[in-house]
Amino acid sequence: MANTRYIFVTGGVTSSLGKGIISASLAKLLQAGGHNVTIQKLDPYLNIDPGTLNPYEHGECYVTNDGAETDLDLGHYERFLNIPTSQANNITTGRIYQNVINKERRGDFLGKTVQVIPHITDEIKRCVKLLGTKHKFDIVITEIGGTVGDIESLPYIEAVRQLKWEMPGRVLVIHLTLVPYLSATGELKTKPTQHSVKMLLEAGVQPDILVLRAEKRITNDIKKKVALFCNVEIDSVIESRDVSTIYEVPILMHEEKLDEIVLRKLKIQAKQKPQLKPWQDFLKKLKNPKKQVNIGLVGKYVELADAYKSIIESFIHAGSVNECKVNVTLIHSETLTESVMLEKLSKLNGIVVAPGFGHRGIDGKILAVKYARENNIPFLGICLGMQCAVIEFARNVLGFTDAHSTEMSRTTEHPVIDLMEEQKDITEKGGTMRLGAYPCNLIKGTKAQKAYQKSSIQERHRHRYEFNNAYLQDFQKAGMIVSGINPDMNLVEIVEIPTHKWFVGVQFHPEYRSTVESPHPLFVEFIKAALSK
Ligand code: GLN
């Protein structure tokens, strides 16, 4: 699109103010007005992608259809916009440098000295503009990770300055800051905002819109003061107060006229009156649940709920469909032993065993599967959770007491979960798993097929190990059946126990595909099963 508009969202004062949600909310509003919008995240760290980061460091790693391992904010973008993102939507400093250094090695710079400016900034600009030129979006919203003033985000801010200068009228900067409330004096304080805008100005960037995060109402006087000190029009100082759910933010931003101001400043018009009815219907059901259901999520990263972001959001979507509140309790798999099992699991209406890597906490996960299977409690196993279901069944039903995944035990006599052939020679960690969307054929009459109402699906993967087909007959005969198969590689993608109320294990990650406007059928059916007496 020759006329693509670019909106940058920067953050000031502190991190964790919700730039991702503000970006996603604005995108939703512009999309509801008929524009073709996408959101991109620029992450100022040196990892090539977050795939190799411990979830404790950076929360969940979100996987796109094209197999990119990305920042969890991309999950929000997809959940809000209901359109897929791709590798182009998440760029890190590591990747920018890698691209530039690869070009240097190829001799593309023809002997020039390669420098942060212009080479790194040019590469940043190329990655931003690609979404307009190649992917043809009308509006590209780029969220810049980190906080203004960080050394590592300087090249990004410089790239924004250049783009603003190169494309007058087509680039907008929204700066999100915190206005802290001092309870001792009962005042909201604007000084940190003034300072962070000053820092942007020092870098040559004048923000066009300020979004102020605050616990209390921002009065008109405060808006006036901020407008005056930060050279921003008074109606472009917008309040973002705390709300009970992130899904309310688009509505709140619409009330604050954020979309209207953005369109006016970019000199474009909405193509239609914003269509927010499906969103509002979702919110209404979400906020007025008729019943409740208690789900236990068994995993080892429980100290940080962000590690399971997409699963938790999928339950919010599935709860709204079922008009029920889904209470998700995180259960630490390392502390789940026989002696506390009843206390921790007996009040649950459904059990999920989470994805994960490595041996830590595996016994607790297997125990949770056993409890769900034996007590007819609805069960959903995701990736490692599905593998645990297979191991548990092998041990306790098939009688292979040492059955395991070769990820945890290389010497097991019953490797019911094993490394794929093509994974066996891989030594590098980054980007080498089975990643991204793969097709899966569903077997008629199974719970999975009933949930999807389709015969063939596409789901996203992120793993190295697989169900070992040498054991397929044993499992099927004993009552754990395969309900989804990858047609090209004949890999087991879904297992279930037909005699159980609802027991499904999936090798893929359904949580990456649940959105507000299309909640994931497996989560919806799982909650339905958990609700039924
Ligand atoms: N560790 C398992 C594997 O690599 C499962 C991965 C996951 O749960 N995402 O196969």
Side-chain angles (χ1 to χ4, degrees):
M1 279 282 293
N3 273 324
T4 300
R5 303 300 203 268
Y6 296 90
I7 301 171
F8 292 91
V9 179
T10 58
V13 183
T14 74
S15 56
S16 305
L17 290 180
K19 274 192 307 255
I21 302 298
I22 290 292
S23 305
S25 299
L26 172 61
K28 182 77 228 169
L29 295 174
L30 298 173
Q31 183 196 53
H35 286 289
N36 184 11
V37 190
T38 192
I39 321 172
Q40 176 186 47
K41 173 96 188 263
L42 301 180
D43 275 312
Y45 50 72
L46 287 172
N47 304 65
I48 300 294
D49 61 41
T52 49
L53 283 172
N54 185 327
Y56 286 121
E57 288 279 323
H58 213 70
E60 166 189 278
C61 171
Y62 184 80
V63 178
T64 57
N65 278 336
D66 63 347
E69 296 178 278
T70 71
D71 185 78
L72 57 76
D73 271 324
L74 272 79
H76 290 309
Y77 306 163
E78 289 203 14
R79 288 187 281 273
F80 276 56
L81 290 183
N82 200 29
I83 55 166
T85 54
S86 72
Q87 179 65 73
N89 294 76
N90 190 196
I91 310 287
T92 67
T93 297
R95 190 175 294 276
I96 297 280
Y97 271 80
Q98 190 183 47
N99 291 349
V100 171
I101 290 168
N102 287 343
K103 281 185 197 164
E104 188 273 338
R105 293 288 84 183
R106 281 202 308 264
D108 291 2
F109 297 115
L110 305 173
K112 287 257 180 261
T113 308
V114 181
Q115 293 175 297
V116 173
I117 296 167
H119 301 99
I120 294 297
T121 44
D122 279 353
E123 181 61 17
I124 295 172
K125 290 193 289 182
R126 189 187 69 81
C127 289
V128 171
K129 287 198 279 190
L130 205 64
L131 286 166
T133 51
K134 182 167 164 221
H135 298 264
K136 311 266 180 259
F137 286 98
D138 305 336
I139 302 175
V140 177
I141 300 181
T142 299
E143 176 192 350
I144 299 181
T147 310
V148 167
D150 297 346
I151 289 175
E152 53 188 23
S153 51
L154 280 174
Y156 293 101
I157 304 296
E158 169 59 15
V160 173
R161 186 195 67 76
Q162 293 181 14
L163 286 169
K164 237 188 154 188
W165 184 80
E166 286 168 5
M167 297 190 279
R170 281 169 56 198
V171 175
L172 208 65
V173 176
I174 300 177
H175 189 54
L176 172 66
T177 76
L178 176 73
V179 177
Y181 177 72
L182 287 193
S183 52
T185 53
E187 282 175 306
L188 284 167
K189 291 300 200 184
T190 66
K191 193 74 84 190
T193 296
Q194 295 177 41
H195 280 292
S196 92
V197 171
K198 211 172 189 174
M199 247 178 307
L200 263 182
L201 289 170
E202 275 167 18
V205 174
Q206 167 67 57
D208 301 283
I209 296 173
L210 295 175
V211 178
L212 310 182
R213 233 353 246 283
E215 285 172 52
K216 303 268 177 211
R217 292 311 293 253
I218 304 247
T219 60
N220 232 14
D221 281 348
I222 295 177
K223 284 190 180 178
K224 260 193 216 156
K225 187 170 165 187
V226 170
L228 178 68
F229 289 125
C230 302
N231 319 320
V232 172
E233 286 170 307
I234 180 150
D235 78 345
S236 302
V237 180
I238 285 174
E239 166 191 278
S240 170
R241 58 173 191 279
D242 297 349
V243 276
S244 59
T245 152
I246 55 169
Y247 297 110
E248 240 178 286
V249 180
I251 306 297
L252 203 72
M253 288 300 109
H254 189 51
E255 282 164 15
E256 290 287 317
K257 301 195 168 41
L258 178 62
D259 46 339
E260 212 183 291
I261 297 163
V262 163
L263 290 170
R264 192 185 73 219
K265 286 190 183 282
L266 288 172
K267 299 196 173 51
I268 46 176
Q269 270 157 12
K271 296 180 178 168
Q272 62 192 31
K273 193 171 175 295
Q275 306 285 315
L276 290 167
K277 176 98 171 48
W279 195 274
Q280 268 151 341
D281 290 346
F282 161 84
L283 253 189
K284 197 167 153 198
K285 282 201 220 158
L286 181 67
K287 291 174 86 179
N288 300 290
K290 299 201 169 88
K291 42 211 173 215
Q292 294 206 28
V293 74
N294 295 319
I295 303 299
L297 173 59
V298 184
K300 64 176 172 180
Y301 302 116
V302 295
E303 295 87 348
L304 188 78
D306 270 2
Y308 301 118
K309 195 81 196 163
S310 294
I311 296 179
I312 290 171
E313 297 305 317
S314 300
F315 277 123
I316 295 177
H317 309 154
S320 172
V321 176
N322 284 295
E323 294 183 70
C324 88
K325 180 165 189 313
V326 182
N327 304 312
V328 179
T329 309
L330 296 171
I331 298 168
H332 201 317
S333 52
E334 269 187 301
T335 62
L336 191 61
T337 54
E338 292 271 3
S339 58
V340 295
M341 189 173 71
L342 274 184
E343 174 207 334
K344 297 211 177 195
L345 304 180
S346 64
K347 296 205 174 59
L348 299 172
N349 309 105
I351 294 176
V352 182
V353 174
F357 293 85
H359 191 274
R360 192 165 66 85
I362 197 80
D363 295 333
K365 289 185 173 180
I366 294 171
L367 195 66
V369 177
K370 181 167 184 270
Y371 186 85
R373 183 179 58 77
E374 291 181 341
N375 294 285
N376 210 26
I377 298 173
F379 169 83
L380 176 61
I382 302 177
C383 208
L384 181 61
M386 172 267 200
Q387 298 175 354
C388 288
V390 168
I391 296 164
E392 192 278 327
F393 197 86
R395 289 183 184 179
N396 300 322
V397 180
L398 297 177
F400 304 149
T401 46
D402 80 324
H404 223 321
S405 160
T406 48
E407 181 181 7
M408 323 299 162
S409 160
R410 285 190 198 282
T411 54
T412 172
E413 279 191 29
H414 293 100
V416 288
I417 302 291
D418 198 8
L419 208 53
M420 286 181 279
E421 265 323 302
E422 51 278 34
Q423 287 284 341
K424 287 190 175 155
D425 297 325
I426 292 175
T427 49
E428 285 204 8
K429 290 272 183 277
T432 54
M433 282 185 261
R434 181 180 175 206
L435 285 167
Y438 284 87
C440 169
N441 289 349
L442 301 175
I443 311 296
K444 230 179 148 178
T446 59
K447 291 199 173 72
Q449 193 263 326
K450 274 185 207 145
Y452 283 97
Q453 298 282 321
K454 279 184 191 165
S455 57
S456 167
I457 54 166
Q458 292 265 346
E459 289 283 3
R460 299 182 198 171
H461 292 249
R462 183 176 188 246
H463 56 102
R464 290 183 207 283
Y465 294 81
E466 299 283 347
F467 183 94
N468 183 345
N469 277 332
Y471 291 92
L472 193 59
Q473 295 290 333
D474 293 334
F475 276 84
Q476 304 248 47
K477 261 190 248 149
M480 178 176 269
I481 63 152
V482 173
S483 51
I485 297 179
N486 175 289
D488 308 317
M489 294 180 280
N490 203 30
L491 296 169
V492 171
E493 309 284 41
I494 315 179
V495 294
E496 57 186 75
I497 299 178
T499 52
H500 188 283
K501 189 173 176 183
W502 206 90
F503 188 104
V504 176
V506 290
Q507 185 57 79
F508 48 79
H509 290 263
E511 71 274 21
Y512 295 145
R513 282 198 41 236
S514 189
T515 72
V516 164
E517 279 156 70
S518 47
H520 198 285
L522 285 179
F523 284 91
V524 173
E525 287 305 302
F526 171 69
I527 292 300
K528 227 178 247 168
L531 277 167
S532 74
K533 285 278 166 329

